[in-house]
């Protein structure tokens, strides 16, 4: 990162609001530029170290969040405000998951942040609180680098120290979300606190599931004071849930319970929780069933009878040969069908307002010409005729028609045992039967901790995509 300081004006990035960030591409790589409002001088320029736009935007958002977290545009920030932001950064650095590519990316980003903060501390007229925050931020960055090498002890201590300081400081909470030591704490109130804190970091579709799960748990726990709950209370909850739900559903609900309870303990709302080891094991496997190979072939045989300009033909075909989630499929655009090396792929990304279940879901999936009779040439012609999005329907109608077609073709029940999502299970089974390495299968399905690659058009990406393409060809034999 380079800091270009303005001459004469005395303006600096730590004492003025930032203008809208500007992204640009040079020699194939993406860069982020930040400048103070009201001037063309005094800007940060940061290489995002990638030629993939989706990856660049993700990293850019992390950087912008970090700059805001340090209050670089607010010299009047109090130490308590700065400390709270530093704690957020430290906790995120401690708990975020990394793949091989993101380890490399964040190591470089941390290095550049460290250099920029040192320069700011040495050269710019910072307030006492800002200097104190910069000093602590440097410690966090150094500890974050150690954590990415498997040594998290220093970062744990920093988080603990910032939290202990918080406990010794009187900080007023919003009246609607405050919890005093003498008040009862129900699961309804606790889950509301959890959802309020996580609302900006959880996808809207996931938040709906979180809210639904928490409401189901809160209905049973009622007015129980979790500050005094017992193991027996948690066992009773499990038994009540099992009365009218499948074990697989109860397992998911108890997973959500543990997430909220762990968060409550870590954030000082509860001293302890007794929710571990409750999940049912018998019958707890997912109730979703894969389609048999005969069923998959029947679906593709029907797809080939549909007109080449029918969206249902290609939606069903891509579900079979790519194993996408239904919302990943619905959001595909014309630009998402591309070539990497000699391989045609679909690109699952968050460009243009699209959403993805997790960061690990961001990936490319090779298209296998001839798989179950899939006609790649005809599909590319369909893509060429599309305006922007390949499928114009909203989420509800898209799912309704696609799942309805599957039920009509196969005669399966509308009980959610076999749905469009079952095609992912079928592809996973085919990859396993073909003895495809787990890492390659995960990259295709979007389960990998570091799916392909941070640099989609880099020197090694065509090799990686080629390996995935060969794996799919083997699975479809």
């Amino acid at each position: 990162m380079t800091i270009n300081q303005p001459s004469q004006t005395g303006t600096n990035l730590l004492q003025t609001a930032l203008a809208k960030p500007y992204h640009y591409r040079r020699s194939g790589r993406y860069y982020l530029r930040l400048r103070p409002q009201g001037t063309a001088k005094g800007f940060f320029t940061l290489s995002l170290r990638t030629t993939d736009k989706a990856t660049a935007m993700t990293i850019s958002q992390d950087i912008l969040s970090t700059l805001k977290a340090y209050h670089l545009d607010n010299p009047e920030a109090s130490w308590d405000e700065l400390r709270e932001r530093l704690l957020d950064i430290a906790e995120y650095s401690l708990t975020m998951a990394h793949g091989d590519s993101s380890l490399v990316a964040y190591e470089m980003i941390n290095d550049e942040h460290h250099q920029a903060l040192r320069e700011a501390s040495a050269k710019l007229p910072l307030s006492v609180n800002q200097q104190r925050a910069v000093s602590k931020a440097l410690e966090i960055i150094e500890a974050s680098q150690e954590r990415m090498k498997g040594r998290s002890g220093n970062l744990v201590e920093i988080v603990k120290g910032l939290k202990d300081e918080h406990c010794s400081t009187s900080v007023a909470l919003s009246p609607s979300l405050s919890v005093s030591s003498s008040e009862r704490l129900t699961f309804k109130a606790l889950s509301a606190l959890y959802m309020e804190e996580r609302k900006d970091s959880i996808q809207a579709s996931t938040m709906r599931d979180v809210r639904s799960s928490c409401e189901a748990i809160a209905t049973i726990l009622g007015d129980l004071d979790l500050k005094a709950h017992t193991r027996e209370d948690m066992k009773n909850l499990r038994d009540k849930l099992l009365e009218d739900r499948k074990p697989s559903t109860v397992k998911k609900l108890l997973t959500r319970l543990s997430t909220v309870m762990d968060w409550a303990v870590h954030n000082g709302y509860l001293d302890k929780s007794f929710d571990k080891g409750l999940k049912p094991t018998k019958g707890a496997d997912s109730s979703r069933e894969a389609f048999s190979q005969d069923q998959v072939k029947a679906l593709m045989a029907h797809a080939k009878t549909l007109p080449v300009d029918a969206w249902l033909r290609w939606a069903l075909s891509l579900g079979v040969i790519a194993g996408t989630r239904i919302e990943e499929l619905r959001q595909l655009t014309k630009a998402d069908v591309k070539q990497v090396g000699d391989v045609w792929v679909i690109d699952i990304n968050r460009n243009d307002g699209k959403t993805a279940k997790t960061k690990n879901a961001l990936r490319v999936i090779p298209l296998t010409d001839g798989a179950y009779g899939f006609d790649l040439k005809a599909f590319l012609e369909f893509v060429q005729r599309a305006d922007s999005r390949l499928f114009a329907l909203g989420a509800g109608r898209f799912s309704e028609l696609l799942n309805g077609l599957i039920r009509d073709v196969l005669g399966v029940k509308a009980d959610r045992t076999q749905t469009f999502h079952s095609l992912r299970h079928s592809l996973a089974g085919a990859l396993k039967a073909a003895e495809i390495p787990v890492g390659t299968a995960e990259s295709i399905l979007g389960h990998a901790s570091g799916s392909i690659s941070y640099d989609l058009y880099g020197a090694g990406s065509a090799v990686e995509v080629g390996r995935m393409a060969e794996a799919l060809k083997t699975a479809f034999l």
Side-chain angles (χ1 to χ4, degrees), residues 355-421:
T355 61
K357 185 175 182 180
T358 65
K359 286 185 178 181
N360 297 334
L362 305 178
R363 66 199 189 280
V364 297
I365 309 171
L367 300 175
T368 310
D369 191 23
Y372 299 107
F374 175 73
D375 188 337
L376 177 60
K377 182 175 181 291
F379 172 65
L380 294 177
E381 290 172 353
F382 168 78
V383 172
Q384 190 61 36
R385 290 191 297 269
D387 292 329
S388 176
R389 290 190 179 272
L390 302 189
F391 310 109
L393 295 178
R397 188 62 174 159
F398 183 79
S399 175
E400 178 186 355
L401 292 177
L402 194 48
N403 278 299
L405 176 64
I406 290 172
R407 289 194 296 272
D408 290 343
V409 172
L410 299 180
V412 297
K413 297 179 181 179
D415 61 359
R416 298 188 62 78
T417 300
Q418 286 190 314
T419 66
F420 179 86
H421 196 81

Side-chain angles (χ1 to χ4, degrees), residues 66-136:
T66 301
L67 292 175
K68 184 178 180 180
Y70 292 146
H71 283 276
L72 294 179
D73 57 351
N74 185 8
E76 303 303 321
S78 68
W79 169 244
D80 277 344
E81 291 173 319
L82 292 165
R83 180 189 49 73
E84 286 291 336
R85 295 296 189 181
L86 291 168
L87 178 57
D88 288 342
I89 294 169
E91 287 188 321
Y92 180 75
S93 298
L94 181 62
T95 59
M96 73 179 296
H98 281 294
D100 291 341
S101 57
S102 66
L103 283 173
V104 173
Y106 276 91
E107 184 175 2
M108 292 186 291
I109 290 170
N110 283 339
D111 282 343
E112 294 188 341
H113 279 179
H114 199 276
Q115 178 183 345
L117 288 171
R118 290 201 317 270
E119 289 194 39
S121 178
K123 300 177 181 179
L124 302 180
L126 306 183
S127 68
V128 172
N129 284 334
Q130 284 176 315
Q131 286 286 15
R132 185 179 177 187
V134 168
S135 177
K136 181 58 68 174

Side-chain angles (χ1 to χ4, degrees), residues 427-440:
L427 180 56
L431 291 166
K432 183 177 180 180
E435 299 182 351
I436 301 302
V438 172
T440 302

